[in-house]
Amino acid sequence: MSVRTHTRRDPAESGSVEIQLPWWAVALPAIAFAALLLLVLNPVDAHAASSEPVVTTLIERIQALISRTTP
């Protein structure tokens, strides 16, 4: 049994490539770029972290709980 080969209906012209992207593949990077650009242009909106990191507070509470439960 022979297998039929698939041929293109519209042969591509030499040197041209057509790529179709979904709308979000262009929109999402553009929105992310615009948001980062706005943060760079107006750094007042980019709030700094609090003076004491949350991780330090969490570790201190864990140590306090461990010291309470040990006899």
Side-chain angles (χ1 to χ4, degrees):
M1 261 176 99
S2 62
V3 177
R4 297 179 68 187
T5 59
H6 297 288
T7 59
R8 292 185 180 185
R9 291 184 219 154
D10 299 328
E13 295 178 19
S14 62
S16 67
V17 176
E18 184 178 338
I19 299 174
Q20 295 179 350
L21 294 175
W23 65 269
W24 52 265
V26 176
L28 290 179
I31 291 170
F33 176 77
L36 290 173
L37 185 63
L38 287 174
L39 285 175
V40 168
L41 294 177
N42 193 4
V44 174
D45 292 338
H47 301 288
S50 63
S51 61
E52 187 173 344
V54 176
V55 175
T56 306
T57 306
L58 179 65
I59 292 173
E60 288 175 355
R61 289 188 181 200
I62 291 172
Q63 286 177 344
L65 286 172
I66 290 173
S67 65
R68 287 183 194 168
T69 57
T70 53

